[in-house]
Amino acid sequence: MALASSARTGGAPRIAFVTMGCAKNEVDTDAMRRRLAAAGYDVDAAPEQADAVVVNTCSFIQAATEESLEAVFDAVSLPQMEAGKGAVIVAGCMPARYGVELEAELGEASAFVPCADEERIVEVVRRCVGPAGAGAAGAEAAEGGARAASGPEGREREGQGAVSAYVKISDGCDRFCSYCTIPFIRGRYHSFPYEGIHAEVARHVAAGVREVVLIAQDTGRWGADFAEPSSLAQLMGRLADDFPATWLRVMYVQPEGVTDELLDAMAAHANICPYLDIPLQHVDEGLLRAMNRTGSAADFAALTQRILDRLPGATLRTTLIAGFPGETEEQFEALCAFVEEAPFDYVGVFPYSREEGTRAAELPGQLDEDEKAERARTLRGVADAVGAARVRSRVGRTMDVLVEGIEEDGQAYGRAQCQAPEVDGATFVSQGEPGDIVTVRIEDTLMYEMEGA
């Protein structure tokens, strides 16, 4: 492949990133961007002006794979790429999941970087579009940047004034749920060391971040795999003590990870958001066994009651799958009834996706796509009705709101501790600048949005 024109003329090649999928991919993109910046590359280019476009793909389900392929095809269709003057690099979950099969089918791409090899992004970009042109100093910077970017990374999201950031605390998963591809994409579970997580949080706080969101495939297992085991409760307690002015939030805690120790740590620290995202996936015991998961409607009812007993007023979110193989009408109706009665403020709903290579894909009782979509729509309607009512119940309450931005008409908006980034709506306020935490009384709501004054 020919080198990009900027590399030939001596300027630093321009690199653009396109990130698909979840916040964990945003974190990985940030790590690659930082490595390339440390090596001397211009990492702020738009795809139309880039010498290399890195598409960080998602492949968790087929729909995500199709969207990622669309993004890759958009990149290879850019004029400079069609003219042979640039490179498209496919990174992340798709090459991790499909490997040589993807490389054989996607000849338009210049290189493939699976999740496990993303620390080699400087080497790959150098091979595709040439060096950054900084000589030995650039090489030293690249090496130092790679060291700094290893382990957990945070992603300061664009458009939010860098007031909130994600920090990964582990990677991989050992659960092997029968419908899930993550263990095959990300590998076995491994916790990141506390020192690296602390350093990453400190980096964000020094840059003005007011909220740090801890994420992973399975946050509740953090520290269990250390030679001297630790726990998520200990991690959050130490971080809360060391960064008392920073909100801490944790996402993706499996039911088994919600320990009394964790709840007590959250209750003891005002800067830990009393918020738990607990993926249940279903409530029927038989279907959960088919998913290679545990629990039941009774177990989950007891779990939510235990949470609220130890952490009164906590906000709860969950994720549910509609249309799993073998799901009967009665089992689906029981799932809807559970959502109507359970104290979840927010519910993510997904139709079951039959993923090649998973055990669930071979199970009997596969539902057709229309039936799965209809059940997901029905469950979504139930969840929205319950969620909107729970949000309305906040009217009259006083809350702290982290201001994230100002709209064109001057309206400030942000989030209360009961709202996670990107998924739970916003709170509109009459005061404050991005980064401020203002105290307001909730005056009105509209679905998942709130208005405070």
Side-chain angles (χ1 to χ4, degrees):
M1 162 128 198
L3 297 183
S5 59
S6 68
R8 289 195 300 269
T9 59
R14 297 159 296 184
I15 315 300
F17 285 87
V18 177
T19 304
M20 311 300 294
C22 66
K24 292 179 282 292
N25 270 13
E26 293 182 3
V27 171
D28 294 341
T29 290
D30 187 59
M32 290 189 283
R33 181 184 282 112
R34 290 172 57 203
R35 284 188 172 94
L36 289 168
Y41 289 93
D42 176 354
V43 296
D44 296 318
E48 295 78 10
Q49 284 81 45
D51 299 303
V53 176
V54 180
V55 184
N56 192 5
T57 59
C58 178
S59 193
F60 175 54
I61 58 174
Q62 188 59 36
T65 300
E66 291 170 0
E67 290 178 3
S68 292
L69 281 171
E70 222 175 282
V72 172
F73 292 139
D74 287 345
V76 300
S77 299
L78 292 167
Q80 73 272 31
M81 305 303 173
E82 291 188 330
K85 296 181 179 179
V88 174
I89 298 168
V90 181
C93 296
M94 269 176 46
R97 181 175 179 183
Y98 295 107
V100 294
E101 177 187 348
L102 181 68
E103 296 182 23
E105 295 293 328
L106 203 58
E108 301 92 335
S110 301
F112 298 86
V113 185
C115 303
D117 291 341
E118 286 174 352
E119 63 184 21
R120 297 177 48 248
I121 189 65
V122 174
E123 173 190 334
V124 173
V125 169
R126 184 183 293 120
R127 187 170 69 244
C128 290
V129 299
E140 289 180 11
E143 183 179 353
R147 285 195 299 267
S150 62
E153 293 297 328
R155 173 77 172 113
E156 293 172 5
R157 294 185 308 287
E158 296 176 3
Q160 295 188 350
V163 302
S164 179
Y166 294 113
V167 170
K168 280 173 68 173
I169 64 172
S170 67
D171 209 352
C173 186
D174 289 343
R175 289 184 176 275
F176 290 94
C177 297
S178 65
Y179 53 83
C180 184
T181 60
I182 290 296
F184 310 108
I185 294 171
R186 293 278 177 176
R188 302 305 294 263
Y189 181 88
H190 57 282
S191 301
F192 295 149
Y194 173 78
E195 293 75 17
I197 296 170
H198 186 280
E200 193 62 19
V201 173
R203 181 177 74 85
H204 285 300
V205 171
V209 164
R210 300 299 306 275
E211 175 192 45
V212 169
V213 184
L214 305 180
I215 58 172
Q217 274 74 36
D218 188 354
T219 49
R221 281 198 62 199
W222 183 86
D225 55 332
F226 291 157
E228 295 184 10
S230 187
S231 68
L232 177 63
Q234 293 173 359
L235 170 66
M236 297 197 73
R238 292 176 67 182
L239 291 176
D241 288 339
D242 287 350
F243 303 98
T246 303
W247 285 5
L248 295 172
R249 186 185 303 272
V250 62
M251 306 291 285
Y252 319 127
V253 184
Q254 297 291 338
E256 301 89 339
V258 185
T259 63
D260 289 346
E261 180 192 20
L262 175 62
L263 297 174
D264 290 345
M266 297 176 76
H269 296 86
N271 59 324
I272 297 180
C273 298
Y275 180 107
L276 280 165
D277 171 30
I278 312 168
L280 300 183
Q281 311 308 357
H282 212 283
V283 299
D284 180 84
E285 189 171 0
L287 287 179
L288 286 165
R289 299 304 174 273
M291 293 179 177
N292 196 34
R293 296 177 64 86
T294 60
S296 66
D299 291 339
F300 298 149
L303 171 63
T304 56
Q305 187 59 55
R306 178 166 60 88
I307 292 169
L308 295 175
D309 285 345
R310 299 185 87 100
L311 197 61
T315 302
L316 302 180
R317 163 176 275 278
T318 192
T319 305
L320 300 171
I321 296 173
F324 188 79
E327 183 187 61
T328 65
E329 286 282 356
E330 292 75 16
Q331 289 169 327
F332 176 67
E333 289 171 4
L335 179 61
C336 292
F338 177 86
V339 171
E340 287 181 331
E341 297 298 326
F344 284 98
D345 301 84
Y346 306 103
V347 178
V349 175
F350 298 92
Y352 166 72
S353 179
R354 188 177 188 178
E355 296 300 312
E356 183 181 357
T358 63
R359 282 178 290 163
E362 306 304 320
L363 289 175
Q366 301 283 337
L367 280 67
D368 65 42
E369 297 301 317
D370 288 343
E371 178 63 23
K372 290 187 290 186
E374 178 59 30
R375 290 188 183 189
R377 281 193 293 270
T378 299
L379 185 58
R380 177 74 270 152
V382 173
D384 283 344
V386 171
R390 292 186 67 84
V391 172
R392 278 198 304 274
S393 72
R394 299 171 187 162
V395 171
R397 292 172 55 185
T398 298
M399 295 185 177
D400 288 339
V401 174
L402 171 60
V403 180
E404 294 186 297
I406 309 292
E407 295 190 328
E408 290 184 1
D409 63 0
Q411 174 73 64
Y413 64 90
R415 288 177 295 103
Q417 288 194 340
C418 59
Q419 295 170 308
E422 303 177 25
V423 292
D424 295 339
T427 300
F428 296 91
V429 296
S430 58
Q431 56 183 308
E433 297 293 327
D436 291 345
I437 295 178
V438 299
T439 301
V440 301
R441 183 180 185 274
I442 303 303
E443 302 284 355
D444 199 4
T445 67
L446 178 62
M447 282 299 291
Y448 294 105
E449 313 285 357
M450 302 192 298
E451 182 177 328

